[in-house]
Amino acid sequence: MNWFIRIGAGTLIGGLLVGGLILAAGSGWLGERELAGRPKGRALPARVVASRADAQHAAAIALGAAEVPEKQILFGDLHVHSTFSFDAFLMGLPMLGGTGSHPPADACDFARYCSALDFWSINDHAEYLTERLWDETIDAVRQCNAIAGAGPTANDP
C-alpha cells in the first residue's frame, strides 16, 4: 500500500508542476508571446533585380534552356517554418545550436536579402496555429509582397 501512496503523491506533484508551468507560460512569466513581425527594408534596387535576371538567363543558356523563350528558371523554397511551428521553435533555441526565434517576417527578409529566392512558401504546422497567429502570418506575407512591389494575386490568402 505504501508504494501506491508514493505513486499517487508523485503523480499529484508532477501534475502540479506541469499545471504551474502552463500557468506561468500563459501569464507571461516565462516571456512574451512572439508576434509575426514586420519585414524590414524596401524593394530591391532595379540594378539588383536586373543582375539576378541576367544571372538566371546565363544559367538558362548554360543548361540549354534559353532556346525556349516561354520557359524561365526560378529558385524558391516551398517548405519554410517560422517559430510559430513548435519544432522550428525548438530547433531555433540557442541551447540546441539555433540562432534564436524567427517569426514569419524574417522568412521574407531571408528570401529577399540572404538567399535571393524568387518565391517562398510559409508552411507552419496548423496544429499550433491559432486564428490570431494565422492572421498575423497572412499580414506579414502581404507586407512582404508590398515591399517587394508585388500586388495582390488570385492566390493571395
Side-chain angles (χ1 to χ4, degrees), residues 76-80 117 119-123:
D77 187 346
L78 292 175
H79 196 103
V80 176
L117 294 178
F119 61 91
W120 64 278
S121 171
I122 192 125
N123 296 97

Side-chain angles (χ1 to χ4, degrees), residues 29 35 74 78 82 103:
W29 292 350
L35 302 175
L74 299 173
L78 292 175
S82 76

Side-chain angles (χ1 to χ4, degrees), residues 72-85:
Q72 182 181 12
I73 298 173
L74 299 173
F75 297 90
D77 187 346
L78 292 175
H79 196 103
V80 176
H81 289 285
S82 76
T83 53
F84 285 0
S85 286

Side-chain angles (χ1 to χ4, degrees), residues 33-36 78-93 96 100-105 107 120-130 133-134 136-137:
R33 184 180 72 82
E34 182 170 34
L35 302 175
L78 292 175
H79 196 103
V80 176
H81 289 285
S82 76
T83 53
F84 285 0
S85 286
F86 188 69
D87 56 343
F89 172 78
L90 284 178
M91 297 310 293
L93 292 174
L96 295 177
S101 65
H102 296 284
W120 64 278
S121 171
I122 192 125
N123 296 97
D124 283 323
H125 295 281
E127 64 270 20
Y128 301 112
L129 287 178
T130 63
L133 290 177
W134 179 240
E136 289 179 14
T137 299

Side-chain angles (χ1 to χ4, degrees), residues 1-15:
M1 186 71 163
N2 196 12
W3 61 270
F4 185 73
I5 293 172
R6 286 185 195 171
I7 291 174
T11 303
L12 177 64
I13 291 170

Side-chain angles (χ1 to χ4, degrees), residues 26-46:
S27 301
W29 292 350
L30 301 177
E32 295 180 19
R33 184 180 72 82
E34 182 170 34
L35 302 175
R38 297 186 71 75
K40 312 260 185 305
R42 55 188 104 112
L44 293 173

Side-chain angles (χ1 to χ4, degrees), residues 134-157:
W134 179 240
D135 289 342
E136 289 179 14
T137 299
I138 291 170
D139 187 49
V141 170
R142 286 182 175 155
Q143 291 172 30
C144 180
N145 287 342
I147 289 172
T153 66
N155 296 326
D156 194 14

